[in-house]
Amino acid sequence: MKKAFLLVCVLTISVITTACINNFAVQELNNKAMTFMEQGNYEEAIERLKSSVDLDDSVFESHYNLAVAYTKAEDYANAMKSYQKAISLKPEFADSYYSLAVAEENLATDIKAGLLVIDDNGDLQKVEQRNDVDEMFGSDAILTDAEKIYINNLLNDAVKNYNLYLSKAANTEDADEVKTHITEIEARIAGEDKPKSEQSEPQKEPEAPAEE
């Protein structure tokens, strides 16, 4: 299999070679960022790549590599934004869709685990500790309806992007594994707790006829 499915751990997502970048300063920043990533220093890599994007916002490699750095730093929300920008610049590159789907899955997992919450403005916020999570027994957080909807949307988008990956990488060796994983996500979506607004009303038990 070309890539491994990991929902919490960071995947091994390769950076893109920068040899074809015409802007020398942008290429140098990408190369330095790649060195930092090899050393596991993702924060420094992110700073170099953000500077690269500031110099030239039209370079696909800078946005994709920035997304990879965010993924390895487990900042999946920002990784998603950078993958989406990379896709807008080079929509035919199949791995962008796979990597975006991975980030969406990981973000959904973090929210379910209580590592992130959705505030009153609908924004994601990182939390140090939630009282409704029992880490000893591995229980998930008690989710709000907004968080349940957010997770559901993330997983549906992940399915869409895995399918786009398959359509753009028709001969990929991991097609069967990806298809199996899509089925697993769809089963997970079906089994997720639904927000109250999407729950069906409980059926009333039929009443016995009144005795005459």
Side-chain angles (χ1 to χ4, degrees), residues 60 86-97 164-165 168-169:
F60 161 78
I87 287 170
S88 72
L89 292 170
K90 196 174 182 179
E92 71 278 9
F93 187 70
D95 278 15
S96 294
Y97 298 93
L164 283 168
Y165 164 73
K168 293 176 183 295

Side-chain angles (χ1 to χ4, degrees), residues 5 10-11 14-16 24 30 36 43 56 89 102 130 136 145 157 169 172 174 183 192 200-202:
F5 294 107
V10 178
L11 287 106
S14 298
V15 296
I16 299 296
F24 180 75
N30 271 266
F36 280 122
E43 295 305 320
D56 189 344
L89 292 170
V102 166
R130 282 180 65 158
M136 180 178 296
D145 281 356
D157 282 345
T172 182
D174 59 358
T183 301
E192 290 285 350
S200 57
E201 290 293 326

